[in-house]
Amino acid sequence: MRTYHCFWLLFWAGQPHQSSLTPLSKRTSGFPEKEKVLVLSGNSRQDLHRSKRSWMWNQFFLLEEYTGTDYQYVGKLHSDQDKGDGSLKYILSGDGAGDLFIINENTGDIQATKRLDREEKPVYILRAQAVNRRTGRPVEPESEFIIKIHDINDNEPMFTKDVYNASIPEMSDVGTFVVQVTATDADDPTYGNSAKVVYSILQGQPYFSVESETGIIKTALLNMDRENREQYQVVIQAKDMGGQMGGLSGTTTVNITLTDVNDNPPRFPQSTYQFRAPESTPLDSPVGRIKANDADVDENAEIEYSITEGDGYDMFGITTDKDTQEGIITVKKALDFENKNLYILKVEATNTHVDPRFLYLGPFKDSATVRIQVEDVDEPPMFSRPAYIMEVKEDVPLNSVIGTVTAQDPDAAKNPVKYSVDRHTDMDRVFNINSGNGSIFTSKPLDRETLLWHNITVIAAEINNPKQSSRVPVFIKVLDVNDNAPEFAMFYETFVCENAKAEQLIQTLSAVDKDDSYNGHQFSFSLAPEAASSSNFTLQDNRDNTAGIFTRKTRYNRHETSTYFLPVVISDNDYPIQSSTETVTIRVCACDHRGKMLSCNAEALVHPTGLSTGALIAILLCIIILLVTVVLFAALRRQRKKEPLIISKEDIRDNIVSYNDEGGGEEDTQAFDIGTLRNPEAIDDNKLRRDIVPETLFMPRRTATARDNTDVRDFINQRLKENDTDPTAPPYDSLATYAYEGNGSVAESLSSLESVTTDGDQDYDYLSDWGPRFKKLADMYGSMDSDKDS
């Protein structure tokens, strides 16, 4: 018979106790009082239930938010292999094992070490096993069980918002939806009533109500008027446990605003308004403002004003100021105190946006009476016409009256008026005016051909108050009279061929007239009486304001008569008839057989080509000026002198000649030889200075030979004295540099010539060690030392 080893898991839920064998039914309210036994055999697992048990063995409950001082007892593990000798050890693993849940490895008691919160973690899954303490091998298979945290009502309902804001139109019906509030409870909604929330209103009655289950807020009072009260603050409470006693609760605030509707008509605060307006008020100028009050706001308070009736219906207008909702009364036509000094208007104010739902409250408009008193002002004279047009003939005698202007003072005083002409419009003073009666007359002759229209301005001013004046334009048209004779349209100068035939047309004439003709000009042409019978030419009037000149004979001789002057009389048909005599010049010329002119003695017809005398003189002057400029330029170039060597008198480098000779370096022994100073005989005295040309050539002076032991300073002084007395020296100062420091220098001499007191103090053997570049210098000073030693 197979032996089964059983592992029992005993669990008690409730308050902690000392004995693990005592049932804990008092601490497990609502749970079975007796333990549940788990029997395991091998890898199989069987649930062995005692009689009258039907719940799952692996679900255990533990109350959350335990407040005791001891660890909270969870349950007990026990194996049928446990003989009580301590050979077995119980192990617990899974969620919170070792930290949140601990087990007594000897007894198998499980305890919770911390307060548990179902809202943080509602279920814990753990695994239990019994192992041999000595070998560490399990004696039973691992068993898994679940610990569910039993909920308690430890969380109050929380609203999704701390403050709600809502708005509804005023005058809404009862039961109108406002807003819905929502509260949540973190407790377990599946166990008891801990998470069942009920809503109620704490503040805001009787205006609003709330549905207990949904949290929907509705209106509870009819005809709430925004104009009476606009803002409402409602406090809503959410309570769990179904609203029962002992339940937790939370609150929120709902700010409800009543929005405006057009439920109030405009109303004028007074029935009559009084305004005054001077009669000189410009058109479209405001006279006054009126305003109808409307308790509504925004577009519901927009008002449109209109003038419905009154004797000033066409004299005044009214517009609405969109910013202030005022009615602005303006002048549409000019006011005249003398004509009418009082106007009565009826003004109506109407809402532009009317809500039909509230028409039962009455018409949404109101009316008021406006009285406008016109005030008298001192007005300038007024002319009878806005402009005057007058006509006058150009031959009218001086001081003739051509028309009259009339102006009157519109005021009741009827002050006398004087007239004058604005001389800025009549600079030539062609017209004048009678200051008393306004008659305009001429003061200078008129000429229509010179100026057809004269536009002048007449001023009318009150005699008592000259500042009150007005102006009117006067347009004067000068009418034409036939005072100008017709004349040729151009100067006519033609020619006739010597071989011309009789009755040959040689020129067509036309005429013009400066005068105006209403029916068109009608000119007639004829030869002057003195030329009609003896002329060699005839004239034919074409009756179309033109005429033709024809030859009378067959041949003409230019040597006998080279030029003919034909007088032509031109007349018009106006009244009085005007005529003039014009002359046509006809020259006799030689022509070919086709009638083309070949030669003519008339200078006006043939001009020799060439330049005029003025052009020739201008060209000649340009040539002369050009030659003088060239001569002066050449002379200046010849007289240009060579720049001197020394430009500035203050230049300290007097007579210093730079040859720009560069030495050959250390190996160039010919560039400077100190032996020249010690052997003056080596100096070539025949060399002359290259910087000047001596005027007189002197023979070179032979200087005395210096001694071998002559000091350099003595040598230089000797040479200086010789140069001072040398007649071949240049007649200006010279600067000679001898590289000699001299006595009295604070820095003393920098020259190597006096670096030691005696030549024996200096050893020059080190020069031989400097290489081939200093070989010559080493030989020079080395030989000097050997000479002294010898």
Side-chain angles (χ1 to χ4, degrees):
M1 180 178 180
R2 179 179 300 178
T3 302
Y4 293 93
H5 301 282
C6 299
F7 173 61
W8 295 354
L9 173 62
L10 304 179
F11 174 77
W12 292 268
Q15 299 297 327
H17 53 86
Q18 298 297 329
S19 176
S20 60
L21 300 178
T22 305
L24 304 176
S25 58
K26 295 182 180 179
R27 298 172 52 200
T28 56
S29 176
F31 291 95
E33 295 181 357
K34 296 183 179 181
E35 71 279 3
K36 180 181 180 183
V37 180
L38 173 62
V39 180
L40 299 176
S41 176
N43 292 330
S44 64
R45 184 172 61 185
Q46 296 179 354
D47 290 341
L48 301 179
H49 297 278
R50 294 182 180 181
S51 59
K52 299 183 181 179
R53 295 194 179 175
S54 61
W55 48 279
M56 296 293 294
W57 71 266
N58 61 344
Q59 291 187 4
F60 306 104
F61 294 89
L62 187 66
L63 288 176
E64 66 171 336
E65 302 295 341
Y66 173 69
T67 58
T69 58
D70 298 332
Y71 289 163
Q72 188 176 7
Y73 187 79
V74 178
K76 183 180 181 64
L77 292 179
H78 184 73
S79 174
D80 58 355
Q81 299 294 326
D82 189 359
K83 305 301 181 179
D85 56 358
S87 61
L88 297 182
K89 179 175 67 175
Y90 296 95
I91 299 174
L92 184 67
S93 62
D95 295 340
D99 179 21
L100 186 60
F101 300 100
I102 61 176
I103 187 171
N104 189 320
E105 62 181 13
N106 296 321
T107 63
D109 293 329
I110 302 174
Q111 291 179 314
T113 62
K114 299 179 181 179
R115 294 177 60 182
L116 302 179
D117 189 356
R118 189 202 65 84
E119 287 71 34
E120 292 182 0
K121 188 175 179 64
V123 176
Y124 295 87
I125 301 176
L126 295 101
R127 292 177 296 279
Q129 192 174 33
V131 299
N132 189 291
R133 186 184 298 273
R134 183 174 59 84
T135 62
R137 294 180 179 179
V139 297
E140 295 287 350
E142 186 179 57
S143 299
E144 183 179 271
F145 62 95
I146 298 174
I147 300 177
K148 288 187 176 181
I149 308 303
H150 179 62
D151 182 48
I152 64 173
N153 188 18
D154 59 343
N155 293 279
E156 70 275 6
M158 299 292 294
F159 283 94
T160 57
K161 295 181 181 179
D162 294 334
V163 177
Y164 289 82
N165 294 304
S167 61
I168 58 169
E170 62 174 333
M171 310 296 290
S172 297
D173 296 332
V174 174
T176 301
F177 174 84
V178 179
V179 69
Q180 183 177 13
V181 296
T182 303
T184 59
D185 197 316
D187 293 328
D188 188 2
T190 63
Y191 177 75
N193 294 326
S194 298
K196 185 178 181 180
V197 178
V198 174
Y199 301 94
S200 61
I201 184 169
L202 300 182
Q203 177 182 325
Q205 294 175 330
Y207 307 104
F208 300 95
S209 62
V210 62
E211 293 183 356
S212 60
E213 295 183 358
T214 62
I216 295 177
I217 301 176
K218 299 180 179 180
T219 57
L221 188 63
L222 184 64
N223 295 334
M224 287 189 291
D225 194 357
R226 185 199 65 84
E227 288 73 31
N228 294 331
R229 182 177 177 181
E230 183 177 5
Q231 297 288 339
Y232 293 86
Q233 190 175 74
V234 179
V235 178
I236 302 297
Q237 182 189 65
K239 191 175 183 180
D240 59 11
M241 298 298 292
Q244 297 177 4
M245 185 70 68
L248 303 178
S249 64
T251 60
T252 188
T253 301
V254 182
N255 295 322
I256 302 175
T257 302
L258 297 184
T259 58
D260 185 58
V261 296
N262 192 6
D263 59 340
N264 293 280
R267 291 289 181 264
F268 283 106
Q270 57 192 71
S271 59
T272 303
Y273 293 85
Q274 295 279 352
F275 296 106
R276 293 180 178 272
E279 61 177 336
S280 59
T281 302
L283 298 182
D284 297 327
S285 298
V287 174
R289 290 172 174 255
I290 60 176
K291 183 177 182 181
N293 298 326
D294 193 326
D296 298 322
V297 294
D298 299 332
E299 67 174 14
N300 296 321
E302 292 182 2
I303 300 174
E304 183 178 354
Y305 297 90
S306 60
I307 299 176
T308 57
E309 59 182 64
D311 52 5
Y313 180 81
D314 58 342
M315 297 294 296
F316 300 92
I318 188 169
T319 58
T320 303
D321 188 336
K322 299 300 182 181
D323 296 330
T324 62
Q325 295 300 317
E326 293 178 317
I328 306 174
I329 301 175
T330 57
V331 178
K332 291 174 57 177
K333 293 184 179 181
L335 303 178
D336 188 0
F337 173 82
E338 290 73 25
N339 185 25
K340 187 175 180 62
N341 57 17
L342 178 62
Y343 294 91
I344 300 176
L345 310 175
K346 185 178 181 180
V347 178
E348 188 175 79
T350 307
N351 277 138
T352 56
H353 300 87
V354 178
D355 193 336
R357 296 177 300 169
F358 304 102
L359 290 178
Y360 68 91
L361 298 177
F364 282 77
K365 59 183 179 181
D366 195 15
S367 60
T369 301
V370 178
R371 299 171 59 91
I372 301 176
Q373 183 73 43
V374 180
E375 297 179 342
D376 186 25
V377 295
D378 191 5
E379 299 176 276
M382 294 182 61
F383 285 94
S384 58
R385 301 178 188 175
Y388 292 85
I389 299 177
M390 301 179 182
E391 294 180 348
V392 58
K393 291 186 176 182
E394 60 180 330
D395 62 346
V396 67
L398 297 180
N399 299 323
S400 297
V401 177
I402 60 176
T404 303
V405 297
T406 304
Q408 293 182 353
D409 183 11
D411 298 326
K414 301 296 181 182
N415 293 321
V417 177
K418 64 177 181 178
Y419 303 92
S420 62
V421 176
D422 186 356
R423 291 305 173 186
H424 292 91
T425 60
D426 186 21
M427 302 294 292
D428 297 332
R429 296 180 177 270
V430 180
F431 302 96
N432 211 335
I433 190 171
N434 188 307
S435 61
N437 57 21
S439 59
I440 300 174
F441 55 90
T442 60
S443 57
K444 287 185 179 180
L446 303 177
D447 187 6
R448 188 204 67 85
E449 289 71 32
T450 303
L451 186 60
L452 177 61
W453 283 93
H454 294 267
N455 302 328
I456 65 174
T457 299
V458 176
I459 302 174
E462 294 182 6
I463 296 178
N464 299 333
N465 187 9
K467 293 183 179 180
Q468 293 294 337
S469 62
S470 57
R471 298 167 176 263
V472 68
V474 179
F475 307 103
I476 303 174
K477 182 179 181 181
V478 181
L479 302 179
D480 183 48
V481 296
N482 193 22
D483 58 347
N484 291 280
E487 56 187 14
F488 280 149
M490 57 179 294
F491 176 72
Y492 289 102
E493 184 177 9
T494 185
F495 70 94
V496 62
C497 295
E498 288 183 308
N499 56 357
K501 297 179 180 180
E503 301 299 328
Q504 181 179 345
L505 178 65
I506 61 173
Q507 183 66 49
T508 300
L509 307 177
S510 63
V512 294
D513 195 335
K514 294 181 180 180
D515 293 325
D516 190 13
S517 177
Y518 298 102
N519 298 322
H521 290 290
Q522 294 292 331
F523 300 127
S524 61
F525 300 86
S526 63
L527 292 176
E530 63 272 13
S533 59
S534 61
S535 176
N536 293 309
F537 303 92
T538 60
L539 181 68
Q540 179 179 344
D541 192 348
N542 298 326
R543 303 299 179 180
D544 59 354
N545 293 335
T546 62
I549 299 177
F550 296 86
T551 57
R552 177 174 286 184
K553 59 182 182 178
T554 302
R555 296 184 63 84
Y556 295 87
N557 190 341
R558 60 176 173 152
H559 298 290
E560 294 179 357
T561 304
S562 62
T563 304
Y564 294 93
F565 297 99
L566 185 64
V568 178
V569 177
I570 310 172
S571 302
D572 58 21
N573 293 328
D574 292 335
Y575 180 83
I577 296 176
Q578 299 289 340
S579 64
S580 64
T581 302
E582 302 289 332
T583 302
V584 180
T585 302
I586 304 174
R587 298 186 182 275
V588 181
C589 301
C591 304
D592 58 9
H593 66 281
R594 292 177 297 180
K596 184 177 181 180
M597 182 179 62
L598 297 178
S599 63
C600 189
N601 60 352
E603 296 181 359
L605 299 177
V606 179
H607 295 284
T609 59
L611 297 175
S612 63
T613 303
L616 293 174
I617 293 174
I619 294 174
L620 182 60
L621 288 176
C622 292
I623 295 174
I624 293 173
I625 292 173
L626 182 61
L627 291 176
V628 170
T629 304
V630 173
V631 171
L632 290 176
F633 181 74
L636 290 175
R637 294 199 61 179
R638 290 182 179 180
Q639 293 179 0
R640 180 183 297 175
K641 294 182 180 180
K642 187 177 182 181
E643 295 182 357
L645 180 63
I646 304 302
I647 299 177
S648 176
K649 294 181 180 180
E650 298 179 357
D651 197 338
I652 62 174
R653 300 172 297 170
D654 291 344
N655 306 326
I656 298 178
V657 181
S658 177
Y659 297 98
N660 295 326
D661 293 336
E662 184 175 358
E666 297 176 355
E667 297 180 356
D668 186 6
T669 58
Q670 302 297 327
F672 176 75
D673 191 358
I674 193 64
T676 303
L677 295 177
R678 298 189 178 277
N679 187 12
E681 294 179 355
I683 301 176
D684 188 3
D685 293 334
N686 295 329
K687 293 182 179 180
L688 300 178
R689 297 186 58 169
R690 294 179 295 175
D691 58 341
I692 61 171
V693 178
E695 297 180 359
T696 304
L697 183 61
F698 292 91
M699 294 301 295
R701 299 178 60 186
R702 191 69 179 178
T703 58
T705 302
R707 298 187 304 272
D708 293 340
N709 57 355
T710 302
D711 184 69
V712 176
R713 180 173 59 185
D714 296 337
F715 169 76
I716 292 175
N717 290 333
Q718 180 183 353
R719 285 303 184 191
L720 180 60
K721 183 177 181 180
E722 291 175 358
N723 287 329
D724 291 340
T725 58
D726 187 3
T728 63
Y732 46 80
D733 293 338
S734 297
L735 179 63
T737 303
Y738 296 98
Y740 182 75
E741 182 69 24
N743 296 326
S745 174
V746 177
E748 298 183 351
S749 176
L750 300 178
S751 174
S752 63
L753 298 177
E754 292 184 354
S755 60
V756 293
T757 56
T758 62
D759 294 338
D761 296 337
Q762 180 68 34
D763 184 8
Y764 297 103
D765 293 339
Y766 63 88
L767 295 176
S768 301
D769 300 333
W770 287 6
R773 293 180 179 272
F774 297 92
K775 184 178 182 301
K776 183 69 175 178
L777 189 61
D779 295 341
M780 182 185 299
Y781 282 91
S783 61
M784 292 174 61
D785 293 340
S786 62
D787 292 342
K788 290 182 180 181
D789 294 340
S790 62

